[in-house]
Amino acid sequence: MWPWKRKPKEIDASDLDLARLPRHIAIIMDGNGRWARKRGLPRTMGHRAGVEALRAIVKECSRLGIEVLTVYAFSTENWRRPKEEVGVLMSLLTEYLRRELDELHANQVVVRSLGGLSELPLEAQIELKKALERTRKNNGLILNLALNYGGRAEIVEAVQKIGTLVRQGKLKPEEIDSETFAAHLATAGLPDPDLLIRTSGEMRLSNFLLWQLAYSEIVVVPELWPDFNEHCLNEAIKAYQKRDRRFGGLSGS
Ligand code: FPP
């Protein structure tokens, strides 16, 4: 079992301000394919290495006491990839959950998901449901897996739910505000991400958490996802801690 719980002084992040950590970190895990290509390996090996990076980052976020970690594991657009690659990604998800669940649970991690789960292969759905159910009452890091997820689809779904309430006379159009809207998204009840990290140098949101990222600080790092480790995470948090978050207001307001 990993020694997940370290005392703050033991964390190898001495120049991190532990009192000002982001509550919610979102990550676009990009660059698995390029990582593999650089090594003359099939793309799927890059995804396999990506799972190892994910394990390490989950562990580190848990140790640091981050409240929520949302990772973009499979987008609605990823179905367009070759069938074999999609198959491997789905098997990796199933394998990850099977292999990690005991440790995630022992370390109080709450597994959650966002996206259209019913379109995932049955095996993956079964493992995911098991993980959601088993870890539901834990009180540590919330690990939010974005699977078959798309930000626009999530917004459209929220509009449909709200429209239904209006049609049923349970909600008046003028009562719809940001809070009502956010409460109908898949992230209802969670704080918005404070920090978005994207690996591999790409400067795009790629349909990820379009509503929730409105005021997030964005840190793009050059490392390809399989190379992203605890040190890179700490550096990204440090960059975040140097930012002046104004939420549209003035500095210090
Ligand atoms: C982007 O790299 C990564 C993905 C599309 C999938 C992310 C998945 C993992 C990190 C591993 C799977 C983890 C679970 C839990 C399922 P890319 O393939 O777009 O890389 P490229 O831009 O270099 O081609």
Side-chain angles (χ1 to χ4, degrees):
M1 171 129 358
W2 294 325
W4 279 23
K5 290 287 171 205
R6 288 188 295 186
K7 294 188 191 85
K9 68 177 170 45
E10 291 171 322
I11 293 173
D12 179 23
S14 47
D15 38 0
L16 272 190
D17 180 350
L18 296 176
R20 281 195 323 119
L21 289 171
R23 290 180 66 191
H24 184 170
I25 299 178
I27 307 186
I28 301 179
M29 308 182 286
D30 196 12
N32 294 348
R34 275 163 286 167
W35 183 92
R37 198 172 57 224
K38 268 173 56 180
R39 287 161 178 77
L41 297 169
R43 292 178 54 80
T44 49
M45 290 304 284
H47 296 314
R48 205 163 267 287
V51 175
E52 296 312 308
L54 178 63
R55 289 181 69 207
I57 295 308
V58 169
K59 205 163 124 180
E60 185 66 2
C61 284
S62 171
R63 280 171 177 167
L64 286 170
I66 302 294
E67 287 175 47
V68 189
L69 171 67
T70 302
V71 291
Y72 208 3
F74 194 86
S75 75
T76 42
E77 288 73 31
N78 287 152
W79 294 110
R80 295 189 203 131
R81 295 190 175 204
K83 221 172 147 187
E84 192 225 332
E85 183 172 342
V86 170
V88 168
L89 280 167
M90 292 300 155
S91 316
L92 284 175
L93 168 67
T94 309
E95 217 179 273
Y96 172 78
L97 293 169
R98 269 192 200 137
R99 189 168 61 138
E100 297 297 309
L101 185 56
D102 283 348
E103 261 179 18
L104 291 168
H105 185 50
N107 286 283
Q108 289 298 320
V109 173
V110 181
V111 179
R112 284 183 52 160
S113 71
L114 57 165
L117 301 189
S118 60
E119 284 142 73
L120 300 181
L122 201 58
E123 250 195 344
Q125 287 187 45
I126 291 169
E127 291 307 319
L128 194 61
K129 277 189 192 137
K130 236 189 255 174
L132 302 179
E133 182 52 38
R134 184 147 167 229
T135 64
R136 201 163 49 93
K137 293 191 179 142
N138 287 346
N139 58 15
L141 172 74
I142 297 174
L143 171 60
N144 225 357
L145 300 170
L147 296 162
N148 189 20
Y149 172 84
R152 286 187 174 179
E154 183 192 25
I155 289 172
V156 169
E157 241 176 74
V159 171
Q160 287 173 345
K161 285 184 208 157
I162 292 170
T164 304
L165 292 177
V166 170
R167 192 179 55 203
Q168 292 170 340
K170 293 180 181 159
L171 190 67
K172 294 196 182 92
E174 59 275 20
E175 287 170 346
I176 303 166
D177 57 13
S178 292
E179 280 73 42
T180 320
F181 194 80
H184 290 86
L185 292 169
T187 49
L190 299 178
D192 285 338
D194 302 289
L195 167 62
L196 169 72
I197 300 171
R198 180 163 189 154
T199 57
S200 90
E202 304 286 349
M203 309 273 187
R204 283 190 296 278
L205 288 183
S206 299
N207 203 14
F208 190 41
L209 302 175
L210 296 180
W211 171 277
Q212 298 88 335
L213 292 172
Y215 289 103
S216 308
E217 293 297 328
I218 302 177
V219 174
V220 174
V221 300
E223 286 84 10
L224 303 174
W225 174 251
D227 292 327
F228 191 84
N229 57 23
E230 298 89 332
H231 173 73
C232 304
L233 178 73
N234 290 342
E235 290 301 311
I237 296 176
K238 267 188 246 167
Y240 160 83
Q241 291 183 331
K242 286 190 193 127
R243 302 274 177 91
D244 176 20
R245 299 191 79 193
R246 294 194 295 273
F247 299 95
L250 297 178
S251 200
S253 62

